[in-house]
Amino acid sequence: MYATPEQIAATNKAGVEALLGFANSQFAAFERLSALSSNATKSAFEEAIGHAKAMLSAKDIQEFVNLNTAAAQPALEKAIAYSRSFYEVVSQSQGEIAKLVEAQAAEFNKNLVGLLDKLSKNAPAGSDVAVAAVKSALAAASTAYDSFNKVAKQATEIAEANFAAATTATKETHKKQQRAAA
């Protein structure tokens, strides 16, 4: 069985479309991360200028200490919010890539099984065992991929839970330190 020019063109077109989908997904993620970083940098710069001005106008050491203490909690909360937003963008991008890869793998498997079916119809007697072995290997690989995907999703959920717990612990520790300093 030979591939026709139309089949080759369709395969190439599908490959290019998949590549463009991946590139668009990554560019959108890069754009969101750039905007997030730019906004965080601008905000931090403006707050630093405001804090510096306030520090310069401090009348005594107690006011100086109070200004530093008052600035620490919002800065910590903004850093945590930035980290959370960054993580969300990366997780979303990872999910989009996983969907693209899953779609491509499913299409590949479908095409391969179709090709094997066509080949087995025209194959010499006794080759059905080899075709069955390839189909079995393909099914095993697909099952392994699905299992790996489930484990990766569970690991992501655990990482998200750990991130949330670490965020809460950091906030609580900082509050306790502030109370102890006061």
Side-chain angles (χ1 to χ4, degrees):
M1 172 173 169
Y2 297 101
T4 64
E6 292 82 17
Q7 290 172 324
I8 294 171
T11 301
N12 288 341
K13 181 180 177 186
V16 168
E17 287 175 358
L19 184 61
L20 289 175
F22 174 76
N24 283 331
S25 172
Q26 291 306 294
F27 185 75
F30 176 74
E31 191 174 39
R32 289 190 306 267
L33 288 174
S34 295
L36 178 67
S37 295
S38 177
N39 291 340
T41 302
K42 181 180 178 184
S43 175
F45 180 71
E46 290 171 352
E47 289 171 13
I49 289 173
H51 183 67
K53 288 180 180 178
M55 298 295 282
L56 291 173
S57 66
K59 305 280 188 266
D60 57 16
I61 196 73
Q62 185 60 42
E63 187 178 354
F64 185 82
V65 170
N66 290 341
L67 285 171
N68 277 333
T69 303
Q73 181 67 27
L76 177 64
E77 289 175 359
K78 287 179 183 180
I80 291 170
Y82 173 81
S83 297
R84 184 176 295 124
S85 297
F86 187 88
Y87 180 77
E88 288 172 0
V89 170
V90 170
S91 294
Q92 182 183 11
S93 177
Q94 178 186 10
E96 290 170 3
I97 290 171
K99 287 178 186 176
L100 289 171
V101 169
E102 286 174 10
Q104 288 301 306
E107 184 66 24
F108 175 77
N109 287 345
K110 184 180 100 177
N111 290 341
L112 185 58
V113 168
L115 177 65
L116 288 173
D117 288 341
K118 287 180 183 178
L119 288 176
S120 66
K121 290 178 185 176
N122 299 326
S127 62
D128 56 337
V129 174
V131 170
V134 172
K135 284 184 179 180
S136 176
L138 186 60
S142 180
T143 302
Y145 176 76
D146 290 342
S147 296
F148 175 75
N149 221 6
K150 288 177 185 175
V151 168
K153 286 179 183 177
Q154 289 173 344
T156 300
E157 290 170 1
I158 290 170
E160 288 173 355
N162 288 342
F163 183 77
T167 300
T168 302
T170 302
K171 285 182 179 179
E172 292 300 319
T173 301
H174 185 70
K175 286 179 184 177
K176 287 178 184 176
Q177 288 174 346
Q178 280 187 324
R179 283 185 228 135

